C-alpha cells in the first residue's frame, strides 16, 4: 500500500480551494460589470454563430490549468445554450470542450510528466495530437452543438475589427491570468489574485460592492464536494489498487499495446490521469518500442479516462454548477469517451504503418 503524504494533500486541497474561491470572486466581479455578457455579444459579432461561441469560449478557458475555470466556462455555455440544451447536455459540453486543451498542451502537468518519463519531444507529441484534438472536437460537436441554431438571434456586426478589440477588453482579466502563468511562470493562485486586484482597480469597485461578492464566492457545497473527491483519490492511491492492475491485465490474450491502453483507461478512471501516467509510462516504454505514437495513444487513453473519473474534480464542479448529479454527467460522457478510445486504437496503428 502507498502512504499518504498528508502535508502535500492538505497543501493541494487548500491551494485548489483558494483557486475556486478566487475564481468565484472573479466571476462575480465580471458579472457585476456585465463582462461575460458583453464578451458573448462580441463573439456574436465576430462569428455570428452560436456553436462557435460555445465551443470557442470553452476551448479558450481550457487554457487555464485549474478546475475552478469550469465555473467561468459554465457561465458562457449556460448563457449561450439555455433553452436549447438540457442541464446534463450543458454540463457535458462545458466539461468536454474545456478539457480538450488539457489533452495536449504542456501547460498541464500530465503532459509534462509523460514527456519526461517517456523522453518523447514535446514538439513531436503535439504534432501527433493534432488528429486526436480534432477528433475530440468532432465527437463533442455533433451530439450536442450541431443541434444548436447557428443564428445567435442578434444583428450581424458591421465592424468586426471593433468587435475583436472589444472582446479583448472584455476578456482581459482572463488573458492576464494566462499571460502570468505562461509567460512569467506564476502559479494559478497568485495569478488569479493579481487579476482580481487589477479588476477591482480598473472597474472601480467599492467595499460595499465587494463584501457580498466575497461571501457568495465561498460556496460551501462546492468546496466540500471538492474536498471529498480529493479524499477519495488519496484513499484509492492508498489501497494500492493501481499497482495490481498491470499483473491482472497481463494475462489477457491481446496485443501488448492494447493491454497498456486498457491499463491507462482503467487506471485513469480509478485515480485520474496523473496517477496512472506516473505508474504506467515507465513500464509501457520499457516493454514496447515507444516513441511519439505510444505517448499519443496512452495520453489519449488517460484523457478519455479523466472525463469519466469520479476522482476528477472538474466533473464535480461542472455537475454542481448545472445542478445535476455526477452520475448523470458521467453517463452522458461514457459513450463519447469510449468512441474516442476506439478511434485512437486505429490512429495508433496508422501512425505505426506510416513509420512514425
Amino acid at each position: 500500500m502507498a502512504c499518504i503524504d498528508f502535508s502535500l494533500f492538505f497543501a493541494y486541497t487548500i491551494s485548489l480551494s483558494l483557486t475556486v474561491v478566487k475564481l468565484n470572486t472573479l466571476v462575480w466581479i465580471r458579472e457585476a460589470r456585465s463582462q461575460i455578457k458583453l464578451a458573448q455579444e462580441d463573439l456574436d459579432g465576430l462569428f455570428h454563430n452560436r456553436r462557435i461561441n460555445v465551443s470557442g469560449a470553452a476551448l479558450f478557458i481550457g487554457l487555464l490549468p485549474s478546475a475552478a475555470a469550469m465555473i467561468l466556462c459554465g457561465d458562457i455555455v449556460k448563457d449561450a445554450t439555455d433553452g436549447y440544451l438540457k442541464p446534463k447536455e450543458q454540463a457535458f459540453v462545458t466539461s468536454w470542450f474545456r478539457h480538450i486543451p488539457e489533452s495536449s498542451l504542456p501547460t498541464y502537468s500530465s503532459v509534462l510528466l509523460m514527456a519526461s518519463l517517456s523522453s518523447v519531444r514535446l514538439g513531436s507529441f503535439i504534432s501527433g495530437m493534432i488528429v486526436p484534438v480534432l477528433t475530440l472536437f468532432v465527437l463533442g460537436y455533433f451530439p450536442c452543438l450541431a443541434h444548436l441554431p447557428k443564428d445567435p438571434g442578434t444583428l450581424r456586426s458591421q465592424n468586426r475589427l471593433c468587435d475583436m478589440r472589444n472582446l479583448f477588453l472584455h476578456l482581459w482579466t482572463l488573458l492576464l491570468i494566462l499571460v502570468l502563468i505562461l509567460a512569467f511562470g506564476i502559479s494559478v493562485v497568485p495569478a488569479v489574485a493579481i487579476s482580481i486586484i487589477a479588476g477591482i482597480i480598473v472597474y472601480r469597485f467599492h467595499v460595499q460592492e465587494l463584501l457580498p461578492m466575497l461571501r457568495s464566492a465561498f460556496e460551501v457545497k462546492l468546496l466540500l464536494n471538492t474536498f471529498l473527491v480529493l479524499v477519495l483519490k488519496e484513499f484509492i492511491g492508498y489501497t494500492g489498487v493501481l499497482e495490481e492492475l498491470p499483473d491482472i491485465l497481463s494475462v489477457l490474450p491481446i496485443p501488448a499495446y492494447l493491454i497498456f491502453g486498457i491499463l491507462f483507461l482503467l487506471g485513469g478512471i480509478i485515480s485520474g490521469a496523473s496517477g496512472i501516467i506516473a505508474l504506467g509510462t515507465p513500464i509501457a516504454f520499457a516493454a514496447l518500442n515507444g516513441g511519439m505514437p505510444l505517448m499519443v495513444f496512452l495520453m489519449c487513453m488517460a484523457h478519455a479516462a479523466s472525463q469519466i473519473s469520479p476522482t476528477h474534480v472538474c466533473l464535480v464542479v461542472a455537475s454542481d454548477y448545472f445542478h445535476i448529479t455526477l452520475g448523470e454527467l458521467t453517463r452522458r460522457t461514457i459513450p463519447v469517451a469510449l468512441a474516442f478510445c476506439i478511434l485512437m486504437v486505429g490512429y495508433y496503428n496508422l501512425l505505426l504503418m506510416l513509420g512514425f
Side-chain angles (χ1 to χ4, degrees), residues 231-260:
V231 170
L232 173 63
K233 185 175 181 178
E234 289 298 319
F235 175 76
I236 290 172
Y238 176 75
T239 63
V241 67
L242 278 183
E243 286 78 359
E244 301 293 331
L245 276 179
D247 292 335
I248 296 172
L249 296 174
S250 64
V251 301
L252 295 176
I254 57 177
Y257 79 90
L258 274 181
I259 290 177
F260 284 109

Side-chain angles (χ1 to χ4, degrees), residues 261 264-265 296-306 340-341 344-345:
F264 271 66
L265 181 63
V296 167
F297 175 61
L298 295 180
M299 181 59 73
C300 288
M301 296 298 109
H303 179 76
S306 71
F340 176 67
C341 291
M344 289 306 100
V345 170

Side-chain angles (χ1 to χ4, degrees), residues 6-207:
F6 286 100
S7 61
L8 287 177
F9 169 70
F10 284 113
Y12 178 71
T13 303
I14 291 170
S15 175
L16 182 58
S17 298
L18 283 173
T19 308
V20 170
V21 171
K22 287 179 179 180
L23 278 175
N24 267 337
T25 304
L26 185 60
V27 167
W28 282 106
I29 287 174
R30 289 174 53 77
E31 187 66 28
R33 295 297 184 263
S34 302
Q35 296 300 292
I36 294 172
K37 183 67 177 178
L38 291 171
Q40 192 74 50
E41 293 174 1
D42 298 332
L43 286 170
D44 286 343
L46 277 172
F47 302 106
H48 204 68
N49 189 318
R50 189 187 303 272
R51 301 172 189 176
I52 293 178
N53 293 353
V54 174
S55 57
L59 287 169
F60 172 77
I61 293 174
L63 298 174
L64 291 172
S66 169
M70 294 291 289
I71 300 167
L72 298 171
C73 189
D75 270 349
I76 294 176
V77 171
K78 189 175 189 299
D79 184 65
T81 61
D82 260 352
Y84 298 103
L85 297 180
K86 296 178 180 177
K88 67 177 180 181
E89 302 291 339
Q90 291 176 320
F92 167 75
V93 168
T94 300
S95 176
W96 188 264
F97 282 94
R98 176 257 181 267
H99 284 107
I100 289 177
E102 190 170 328
S103 66
S104 54
L105 292 184
T107 52
Y108 286 93
S109 59
S110 58
V111 174
L112 293 174
L113 178 60
M114 188 180 283
S116 174
L117 294 173
S118 65
S119 299
V120 173
R121 291 187 303 108
L122 279 172
S124 175
F125 165 73
I126 292 172
S127 65
M129 284 298 295
I130 293 174
V131 171
V133 165
L134 292 174
T135 304
L136 287 167
F137 184 90
V138 170
L139 288 173
Y141 179 86
F142 283 101
C144 294
L145 297 189
H147 303 297
L148 288 177
K150 288 185 178 181
D151 191 341
T154 57
L155 296 174
R156 286 188 177 274
S157 173
Q158 302 301 314
N159 191 338
R160 294 193 173 183
L161 187 61
C162 181
D163 289 325
M164 186 175 294
R165 178 180 64 84
N166 289 336
L167 181 63
F168 174 81
L169 293 175
H170 296 141
L171 291 177
W172 71 268
T173 49
L174 303 184
L175 292 170
L176 176 60
I177 296 173
L178 285 176
V179 170
L180 291 173
I181 292 172
L182 299 179
F184 296 97
I186 297 176
S187 62
V188 175
V189 173
V192 176
I194 291 170
S195 182
I196 289 173
I197 293 169
I200 291 171
I201 294 171
V202 170
Y203 297 133
R204 299 179 180 180
F205 278 94
H206 300 292
V207 175

Side-chain angles (χ1 to χ4, degrees), residues 113-115 117-118 264 276-286 294 298:
L113 178 60
M114 188 180 283
L117 294 173
S118 65
F264 271 66
I276 192 58
I277 286 171
L279 172 71
T281 302
I283 303 172
F285 276 80
L294 183 60
L298 295 180

